[in-house]
Amino acid sequence: MGLTLTEKILKAHVVDGEFVKGSEIGIRIDQTLTQDATGTMAYLEFEAMGVPRVKTERSVAYIDHNTLQSGFENADDHRFIGSCAKKHGIYFSRPGNGICHQVHLERFGAPGKTLIGSDSHTPTGGGIGMIAIGAGGLDVAVAMGGGAYYITYPKIVKVELTGKLSPWVSAKDVILEVLKRLSVKGGVGKVIEYCGEGVKTLSVPERATITNMGAELGATTSIFPSDEITRQFLKAQKREDVYVPLSADEDAEYDEIVEINLSELVPLAACPHSPDNVKSMAELGEMKIDQVCIGSCTNSSLMDMMKVAHILKGKTVHPDVSLSIAPGSKQVLNMLAQNGALAILIDAGARILESACGPCIGMGQSPNSKGVSLRTFNRNFEGRSGTKDGQVYLVSPETAAISAVTGVLTDPRTIESTFEFTMPEEFVINDNMIALPAPEEEMDKVEILRGPNIKPFPETAPLADTIDCGCSLKVGDNITTDHIMPAGAKILPLRSNIPAISNFCFTVCDEKFPVRAKEMGKSIIVGGSNYGQGSSREHAALAPLYLGVKAVLVKSFARIHRANLINAGILPLTFVNESDYDLISQGDELVIADVRAAVESGKTELTVTNKTTGKDIPVLCELSGRTKDIMLAGGLLDYTRESLK
Ligand code: MIC
Ligand code: SF4
């Protein structure tokens, strides 16, 4: 039996575990990336491990999230990360150089390689045939130190693409269609592999839009084959040397098959407040809009921007609409400037933002109260825009641009002209905003520059014999890491300061949670299904750790967040019977007796006794050999320190 593309790359990288479906495997990591909002912690963790220089083929530290700098904190973090990069052998992409995923695709990604990044949209690299996975900062730190990255051998879903996209229907509509069919939890434990004749009709940036937003399916990653189109893209980036052709074997077997005829797709929008709440333009009608934002790691390529410029040429943004545009990288912005498209955007009245995440993570451009905002981004979770009652719709750049002109949600197929984008034969390349690390012989001389906001990793403790405490919070289904640890311009500067940032933990759901949890000293959180979906931010585990959360008991977890909880030494538990969720109320006193002994002995079924009601609740604690040892040690940092001894 032949292999899928995913299996081929994983097989070439497996260093630990049995290469069979469902088992935990450790893979060698060729490349890592970090961004600044998760990077400070990742480098503090890397320092704590005591490895002098990264052991990967390429590690890159990007500054793209916290670029507002309304106080000293972000600038201090940038300096800290820059100095760590210089000292430890890491390339440093300076603020202004662009969004990590866009720049990595342009300048560093390579087919057949493995990449983990402390950002959930790392799968963007799948657009050029990499196995690129989002992870917590601590996992990235371990990989930088040469350690393996562990995943469950995934189920592999084949998405068979046929046909060709119709004019003004976009790659964004492909992934929105996939989300509509599979939902935000449909990808958990799976890799989404794109195959079929339709693949040849999609350029690298289009493929990257699709793999990027595969994160919203909860998938481990998504991947496209590496083919002639990949080669041409890499050649135009003057990196043809890293090209290798890669595809699945003809007789590869898949766990699931999804068929999509690109010719049949129509423009779509994900409605508030979930990326899988997808509707067509016809279903939504001509809704009045207040704001349009174009950019983010999903849709900020040169191709996207050129389509937008074509639509905006000679037009003016509707008087009731604010349009902002953030080209994804310095390369994109520079090319727009050189070919005149930037002037078209400015002329139409667009507010040009720096090449960074910006409004996507609530760094400015929050919509007005109850404002309807069309965004080309990948997430529209409640409050993420910075306006609690903002109504964010996720759309393609084509839909966003035409709607900015008309002032109402508009089907881009109403545009009378046609536009065919030809990928450039040569991109404008100038890597002068990527600082190189110090040579090995000079690295000892590099001083780490630490600002006063940078506080150490919170204290951990080995798993207790018995967990005996109250339920400090009960939440429902699909809780995102934006609920657990909100971001935005006010809170993001505190990413290096866990004591301070934990004061905002869960405040979107319950303002009193941080104070209550602190008063309780230790506690358990209860939740529904797909708990912790969304971002890779380990702060959504570190803040609860700091607030004394010992276990999280839910119907099901999202992949990265579950790993982050284990890495932080917080016990992840799931209900054996989902209906038992109803047997616990916030405030109930809970006991998990002899939990340490049970975990040590490899027992997977434990009992949570609700002392308040007297009921026993069976729960699952599924830890493998390695994750079991991490839990017992009190988290990945302690475990790694132990194993380095
Ligand atoms: C996001 O899109 O939510 C982020 C901000 O990029 C996060 C990382 C973070 O919280 O710093 C992600 O996707 O992992
Ligand atoms: Fe940045 Fe938004 Fe992409 Fe996250 S999803 S990396 S915040 S652009």
Side-chain angles (χ1 to χ4, degrees), residues 226-541:
S226 167
D227 57 10
E228 189 47 29
I229 290 168
T230 321
R231 190 186 66 76
Q232 277 165 14
F233 174 82
L234 290 169
K235 184 167 177 240
Q237 292 284 358
K238 292 211 173 66
R239 301 200 297 114
E240 198 183 354
D241 54 319
V242 302
Y243 171 72
V244 277
L246 288 169
S247 59
D249 289 330
E250 287 283 315
D251 57 344
E253 270 188 27
Y254 291 86
D255 297 284
E256 270 172 58
I257 297 180
V258 175
E259 286 172 9
I260 294 184
N261 182 347
L262 297 173
S263 316
E264 284 171 4
L265 294 185
V266 295
L268 297 168
C271 306
H273 296 288
S274 181
D276 62 356
N277 188 11
V278 175
K279 297 208 168 78
S280 68
M281 300 291 129
E283 283 171 284
L284 288 167
E286 284 198 346
M287 176 181 59
K288 193 166 162 14
I289 59 170
D290 301 289
Q291 186 194 45
V292 173
C293 300
I294 298 177
S296 94
C297 55
T298 321
N299 278 120
S300 59
S301 65
L302 181 68
M303 179 177 187
D304 289 330
M305 296 294 148
M306 292 309 291
K307 285 190 224 168
V308 170
H310 172 86
I311 297 168
L312 293 183
K313 189 165 186 186
K315 307 272 186 344
T316 302
V317 174
H318 189 276
D320 298 340
V321 175
S322 161
L323 166 67
S324 67
I325 301 182
S329 66
K330 169 171 168 271
Q331 182 181 78
V332 174
L333 184 55
N334 210 349
M335 290 181 78
L336 293 175
Q338 291 186 17
N339 72 15
L342 184 60
I344 296 174
L345 304 180
I346 295 171
D347 214 34
R351 302 165 66 182
I352 306 296
L353 307 178
E354 72 172 309
S355 295
C357 300
C360 179
I361 191 56
M363 276 285 171
Q365 305 293 320
S366 300
N368 53 288
S369 304
K370 300 200 175 77
V372 174
S373 177
L374 299 190
R375 299 179 162 212
T376 65
F377 307 167
N378 47 37
R379 291 190 172 140
N380 58 349
F381 303 145
E382 193 178 359
R384 182 174 159 105
S385 65
T387 302
K388 183 122 193 351
D389 56 10
Q391 305 293 310
V392 176
Y393 291 76
L394 307 174
V395 296
S396 69
E398 293 88 329
T399 303
I402 185 64
S403 305
V405 174
T406 59
V408 291
L409 179 69
T410 305
D411 188 327
R413 291 172 302 172
T414 55
I415 300 170
E416 277 165 12
S417 59
T418 54
F419 178 70
E420 197 69 48
F421 178 74
T422 317
M423 287 293 285
E425 277 183 20
E426 268 182 32
F427 287 93
V428 170
I429 294 159
N430 182 355
D431 290 331
N432 61 341
M433 290 299 280
I434 297 173
L436 300 183
E440 205 151 346
E441 57 283 7
E442 282 171 31
M443 70 189 201
D444 287 347
K445 285 191 234 139
V446 179
E447 190 197 341
I448 299 292
L449 306 169
R450 234 174 281 269
N453 185 47
I454 301 178
K455 298 281 186 280
F457 194 84
E459 258 176 55
T460 51
L463 181 63
D465 292 335
T466 288
I467 296 178
D468 186 348
C469 53
C471 166
S472 54
L473 185 73
K474 185 173 178 187
V475 286
D477 289 343
N478 288 323
I479 286 294
T480 71
T481 48
D482 279 272
H483 290 108
I484 306 173
M485 199 58 263
K490 267 191 265 160
I491 305 176
L492 271 175
L494 304 174
R495 282 288 179 94
S496 324
N497 186 340
I498 302 296
I501 205 169
S502 57
N503 291 326
F504 297 91
C505 184
F506 266 119
T507 47
V508 179
C509 305
D510 179 347
E511 283 196 352
K512 302 207 180 85
F513 171 73
V515 172
R516 184 167 64 243
K518 267 193 218 162
E519 275 170 9
M520 290 171 78
K522 50 184 179 157
S523 66
I524 294 178
I525 291 174
V526 173
S529 61
N530 201 24
Y531 179 89
Q533 67 160 327
S535 140
S536 68
R537 61 191 72 149
E538 59 189 341
H539 301 76

Side-chain angles (χ1 to χ4, degrees), residues 47 67 166 272 278:
E47 275 189 319
T67 55
S166 310
V278 175

